[in-house]
Tab-separated table of all heavy atoms in Angstrom:
chain	number	residue	atom	x	y	z
A	121	SER	N	13.419	38.726	26.792
A	121	SER	CA	12.123	38.664	26.119
A	121	SER	C	11.374	39.998	26.149
A	121	SER	O	10.726	40.376	25.171
A	121	SER	CB	11.241	37.583	26.765
A	121	SER	OG	11.840	36.321	26.570
A	122	VAL	N	11.457	40.712	27.249
A	122	VAL	CA	10.745	41.992	27.361
A	122	VAL	C	11.350	43.025	26.412
A	122	VAL	O	10.635	43.735	25.707
A	122	VAL	CB	10.731	42.503	28.821
A	122	VAL	CG1	10.180	43.908	28.914
A	122	VAL	CG2	9.923	41.536	29.691
A	123	ARG	N	12.658	43.087	26.345
A	123	ARG	CA	13.301	44.016	25.410
A	123	ARG	C	12.992	43.643	23.948
A	123	ARG	O	12.799	44.497	23.111
A	123	ARG	CB	14.799	44.049	25.653
A	123	ARG	CG	15.159	44.776	26.925
A	123	ARG	CD	16.671	44.915	27.074
A	123	ARG	NE	16.968	45.699	28.236
A	123	ARG	CZ	17.548	45.218	29.334
A	123	ARG	NH1	17.894	43.953	29.401
A	123	ARG	NH2	17.772	46.001	30.375
A	124	ARG	N	12.943	42.357	23.660
A	124	ARG	CA	12.597	41.907	22.315
A	124	ARG	C	11.168	42.346	21.955
A	124	ARG	O	10.897	42.805	20.861
A	124	ARG	CB	12.720	40.395	22.214
A	124	ARG	CG	12.469	39.868	20.802
A	124	ARG	CD	12.587	38.360	20.673
A	124	ARG	NE	13.827	37.843	21.194
A	124	ARG	CZ	13.924	37.012	22.245
A	124	ARG	NH1	12.836	36.610	22.868
A	124	ARG	NH2	15.072	36.584	22.650
A	125	LEU	N	10.236	42.225	22.926
A	125	LEU	CA	8.866	42.654	22.682
A	125	LEU	C	8.814	44.158	22.416
A	125	LEU	O	8.122	44.601	21.502
A	125	LEU	CB	7.972	42.301	23.869
A	125	LEU	CG	6.509	42.618	23.626
A	125	LEU	CD1	5.772	41.347	23.176
A	125	LEU	CD2	5.850	43.179	24.842
A	126	ARG	N	9.555	44.937	23.203
A	126	ARG	CA	9.613	46.387	22.976
A	126	ARG	C	10.105	46.693	21.561
A	126	ARG	O	9.567	47.554	20.883
A	126	ARG	CB	10.551	47.066	23.971
A	126	ARG	CG	9.879	47.424	25.258
A	126	ARG	CD	10.836	48.300	26.075
A	126	ARG	NE	11.028	47.704	27.361
A	126	ARG	CZ	12.162	47.573	27.997
A	126	ARG	NH1	13.276	48.028	27.485
A	126	ARG	NH2	12.211	47.015	29.176
A	127	ALA	N	11.155	45.983	21.138
A	127	ALA	CA	11.741	46.236	19.809
A	127	ALA	C	10.744	45.895	18.691
A	127	ALA	O	10.595	46.674	17.739
A	127	ALA	CB	13.024	45.414	19.640
A	128	LEU	N	10.061	44.753	18.799
A	128	LEU	CA	9.086	44.396	17.777
A	128	LEU	C	7.900	45.350	17.765
A	128	LEU	O	7.434	45.762	16.700
A	128	LEU	CB	8.594	42.964	17.978
A	128	LEU	CG	9.490	41.875	17.419
A	128	LEU	CD1	8.952	40.502	17.783
A	128	LEU	CD2	9.620	41.995	15.931
A	129	ALA	N	7.399	45.707	18.934
A	129	ALA	CA	6.259	46.620	19.019
A	129	ALA	C	6.603	48.010	18.481
A	129	ALA	O	5.744	48.680	17.929
A	129	ALA	CB	5.769	46.725	20.457
A	130	ALA	N	7.866	48.407	18.582
A	130	ALA	CA	8.285	49.704	18.061
A	130	ALA	C	8.104	49.787	16.561
A	130	ALA	O	7.954	50.877	16.005
A	130	ALA	CB	9.744	49.986	18.439
A	131	GLY	N	8.090	48.649	15.898
A	131	GLY	CA	7.912	48.632	14.452
A	131	GLY	C	6.453	48.533	14.018
A	131	GLY	O	6.174	48.466	12.829
A	132	VAL	N	5.536	48.503	14.969
A	132	VAL	CA	4.109	48.404	14.648
A	132	VAL	C	3.424	49.711	15.042
A	132	VAL	O	3.319	50.012	16.237
A	132	VAL	CB	3.444	47.208	15.385
A	132	VAL	CG1	1.965	47.143	15.070
A	132	VAL	CG2	4.140	45.905	15.050
A	133	ARG	N	2.989	50.480	14.069
A	133	ARG	CA	2.345	51.745	14.364
A	133	ARG	C	1.074	51.521	15.171
A	133	ARG	O	0.287	50.639	14.876
A	133	ARG	CB	2.026	52.480	13.078
A	133	ARG	CG	1.789	53.966	13.306
A	133	ARG	CD	1.707	54.689	12.036
A	133	ARG	NE	0.575	54.148	11.291
A	133	ARG	CZ	0.176	54.607	10.151
A	133	ARG	NH1	0.800	55.567	9.564
A	133	ARG	NH2	-0.853	54.067	9.536
A	134	GLY	N	0.889	52.322	16.226
A	134	GLY	CA	-0.275	52.200	17.074
A	134	GLY	C	-0.092	51.237	18.236
A	134	GLY	O	-0.944	51.184	19.124
A	135	ALA	N	1.009	50.502	18.246
A	135	ALA	CA	1.241	49.552	19.343
A	135	ALA	C	1.696	50.290	20.591
A	135	ALA	O	2.383	51.305	20.517
A	135	ALA	CB	2.301	48.527	18.944
A	136	HIS	N	1.305	49.780	21.717
A	136	HIS	CA	1.734	50.297	23.012
A	136	HIS	C	2.150	49.101	23.858
A	136	HIS	O	1.419	48.097	23.884
A	136	HIS	CB	0.616	51.063	23.703
A	136	HIS	CG	0.951	51.445	25.103
A	136	HIS	ND1	1.814	52.468	25.390
A	136	HIS	CD2	0.581	50.911	26.274
A	136	HIS	CE1	1.950	52.553	26.707
A	136	HIS	NE2	1.197	51.614	27.273
A	137	VAL	N	3.262	49.218	24.534
A	137	VAL	CA	3.722	48.146	25.427
A	137	VAL	C	3.440	48.550	26.850
A	137	VAL	O	3.847	49.632	27.288
A	137	VAL	CB	5.237	47.865	25.224
A	137	VAL	CG1	5.709	46.813	26.215
A	137	VAL	CG2	5.523	47.442	23.804
A	138	THR	N	2.730	47.707	27.555
A	138	THR	CA	2.471	47.913	28.990
A	138	THR	C	3.383	46.986	29.745
A	138	THR	O	3.413	45.777	29.481
A	138	THR	CB	1.008	47.578	29.331
A	138	THR	OG1	0.158	48.429	28.572
A	138	THR	CG2	0.738	47.780	30.812
A	139	GLU	N	4.169	47.548	30.671
A	139	GLU	CA	5.114	46.756	31.447
A	139	GLU	C	4.831	46.906	32.937
A	139	GLU	O	4.311	47.924	33.373
A	139	GLU	CB	6.553	47.242	31.203
A	139	GLU	CG	7.113	46.888	29.888
A	139	GLU	CD	8.571	47.276	29.764
A	139	GLU	OE1	9.346	47.002	30.715
A	139	GLU	OE2	8.916	47.848	28.734
A	140	ALA	N	5.237	45.888	33.673
A	140	ALA	CA	5.122	45.934	35.130
A	140	ALA	C	6.129	44.973	35.748
A	140	ALA	O	6.523	43.987	35.128
A	140	ALA	CB	3.716	45.540	35.568
A	141	HIS	N	6.540	45.299	36.953
A	141	HIS	CA	7.377	44.394	37.740
A	141	HIS	C	6.462	43.710	38.739
A	141	HIS	O	5.724	44.365	39.468
A	141	HIS	CB	8.488	45.159	38.479
A	141	HIS	CG	9.267	44.270	39.370
A	141	HIS	ND1	10.327	43.504	38.929
A	141	HIS	CD2	9.132	43.979	40.683
A	141	HIS	CE1	10.819	42.811	39.931
A	141	HIS	NE2	10.102	43.082	41.023
A	142	LEU	N	6.509	42.388	38.773
A	142	LEU	CA	5.692	41.607	39.697
A	142	LEU	C	6.588	40.932	40.716
A	142	LEU	O	7.644	40.420	40.378
A	142	LEU	CB	4.887	40.560	38.936
A	142	LEU	CG	3.988	41.072	37.823
A	142	LEU	CD1	3.314	39.909	37.103
A	142	LEU	CD2	2.940	42.020	38.372
A	143	GLU	N	6.152	40.930	41.932
A	143	GLU	CA	6.919	40.297	43.016
A	143	GLU	C	6.582	38.809	43.078
A	143	GLU	O	6.048	38.322	44.072
A	143	GLU	CB	6.604	40.978	44.360
A	143	GLU	CG	7.055	42.421	44.450
A	143	GLU	CD	8.575	42.566	44.396
A	143	GLU	OE1	9.299	41.618	44.835
A	143	GLU	OE2	9.042	43.613	43.926
A	144	ALA	N	6.887	38.143	42.008
A	144	ALA	CA	6.664	36.695	41.933
A	144	ALA	C	7.758	36.136	41.038
A	144	ALA	O	8.217	36.800	40.118
A	144	ALA	CB	5.282	36.388	41.352
A	145	PRO	N	8.179	34.896	41.310
A	145	PRO	CA	9.239	34.299	40.484
A	145	PRO	C	8.791	34.081	39.044
A	145	PRO	O	7.605	33.824	38.768
A	145	PRO	CB	9.548	32.981	41.179
A	145	PRO	CG	8.393	32.692	42.066
A	145	PRO	CD	7.730	33.997	42.378
A	146	PHE	N	9.754	34.149	38.134
A	146	PHE	CA	9.481	33.977	36.711
A	146	PHE	C	8.692	32.702	36.431
A	146	PHE	O	7.737	32.710	35.660
A	146	PHE	CB	10.813	33.968	35.932
A	146	PHE	CG	10.660	33.566	34.493
A	146	PHE	CD1	10.237	34.481	33.551
A	146	PHE	CD2	10.918	32.260	34.099
A	146	PHE	CE1	10.077	34.100	32.229
A	146	PHE	CE2	10.757	31.887	32.777
A	146	PHE	CZ	10.334	32.796	31.841
A	147	GLU	N	9.087	31.596	37.025
A	147	GLU	CA	8.443	30.302	36.770
A	147	GLU	C	6.943	30.364	37.097
A	147	GLU	O	6.131	29.812	36.353
A	147	GLU	CB	9.109	29.189	37.580
A	147	GLU	CG	10.535	28.904	37.176
A	147	GLU	CD	11.552	29.934	37.699
A	147	GLU	OE1	11.226	30.684	38.645
A	147	GLU	OE2	12.656	29.990	37.136
A	148	GLN	N	6.583	31.018	38.155
A	148	GLN	CA	5.186	31.129	38.559
A	148	GLN	C	4.403	32.025	37.590
A	148	GLN	O	3.297	31.692	37.157
A	148	GLN	CB	5.077	31.682	39.974
A	148	GLN	CG	3.690	31.741	40.525
A	148	GLN	CD	3.643	32.304	41.937
A	148	GLN	OE1	4.670	32.710	42.497
A	148	GLN	NE2	2.463	32.358	42.518
A	149	VAL	N	4.997	33.151	37.230
A	149	VAL	CA	4.358	34.085	36.299
A	149	VAL	C	4.197	33.437	34.932
A	149	VAL	O	3.113	33.460	34.337
A	149	VAL	CB	5.170	35.402	36.198
A	149	VAL	CG1	4.625	36.286	35.089
A	149	VAL	CG2	5.195	36.130	37.525
A	150	TRP	N	5.280	32.836	34.435
A	150	TRP	CA	5.218	32.277	33.085
A	150	TRP	C	4.280	31.070	33.013
A	150	TRP	O	3.657	30.825	31.985
A	150	TRP	CB	6.598	31.937	32.533
A	150	TRP	CG	6.477	31.629	31.084
A	150	TRP	CD1	6.653	30.415	30.490
A	150	TRP	CD2	6.049	32.513	30.049
A	150	TRP	NE1	6.371	30.506	29.132
A	150	TRP	CE2	6.006	31.787	28.856
A	150	TRP	CE3	5.700	33.858	30.032
A	150	TRP	CZ2	5.616	32.355	27.638
A	150	TRP	CZ3	5.326	34.421	28.825
A	150	TRP	CH2	5.290	33.679	27.653
A	151	ALA	N	4.158	30.327	34.091
A	151	ALA	CA	3.232	29.190	34.081
A	151	ALA	C	1.803	29.665	33.784
A	151	ALA	O	1.062	28.995	33.046
A	151	ALA	CB	3.274	28.465	35.420
A	152	LEU	N	1.416	30.811	34.283
A	152	LEU	CA	0.073	31.360	34.008
A	152	LEU	C	-0.049	31.856	32.562
A	152	LEU	O	-1.042	31.626	31.890
A	152	LEU	CB	-0.240	32.499	34.965
A	152	LEU	CG	-0.440	32.107	36.422
A	152	LEU	CD1	-0.528	33.336	37.303
A	152	LEU	CD2	-1.684	31.237	36.584
A	153	LEU	N	0.989	32.551	32.092
A	153	LEU	CA	0.940	33.108	30.732
A	153	LEU	C	1.127	32.049	29.644
A	153	LEU	O	0.609	32.195	28.545
A	153	LEU	CB	2.008	34.201	30.587
A	153	LEU	CG	1.791	35.433	31.449
A	153	LEU	CD1	2.980	36.375	31.332
A	153	LEU	CD2	0.499	36.149	31.066
A	154	ASP	N	1.834	30.995	29.972
A	154	ASP	CA	2.115	29.942	29.001
A	154	ASP	C	0.939	28.978	28.802
A	154	ASP	O	0.888	28.252	27.824
A	154	ASP	CB	3.360	29.166	29.448
A	154	ASP	CG	3.878	28.236	28.375
A	154	ASP	OD1	3.896	28.630	27.193
A	154	ASP	OD2	4.278	27.107	28.721
């Protein structure tokens, strides 16, 4: 999903992708974002 977001954002002029590694399991992180 992160690579897909980078690819789509690359096609949008002015877009910037901010990335980070979080020390939390995917399920916990995605529950907040979802």
Side-chain angles (χ1 to χ4, degrees):
S121 296
V122 172
R123 287 186 176 111
R124 184 180 307 115
L125 185 98
R126 274 190 235 136
L128 277 176
V132 179
R133 199 170 61 177
H136 172 75
V137 177
T138 300
E139 287 186 46
H141 175 84
L142 303 176
E143 295 295 332
F146 170 81
E147 294 77 18
Q148 184 180 3
V149 172
W150 191 248
L152 291 171
L153 294 174
D154 191 41

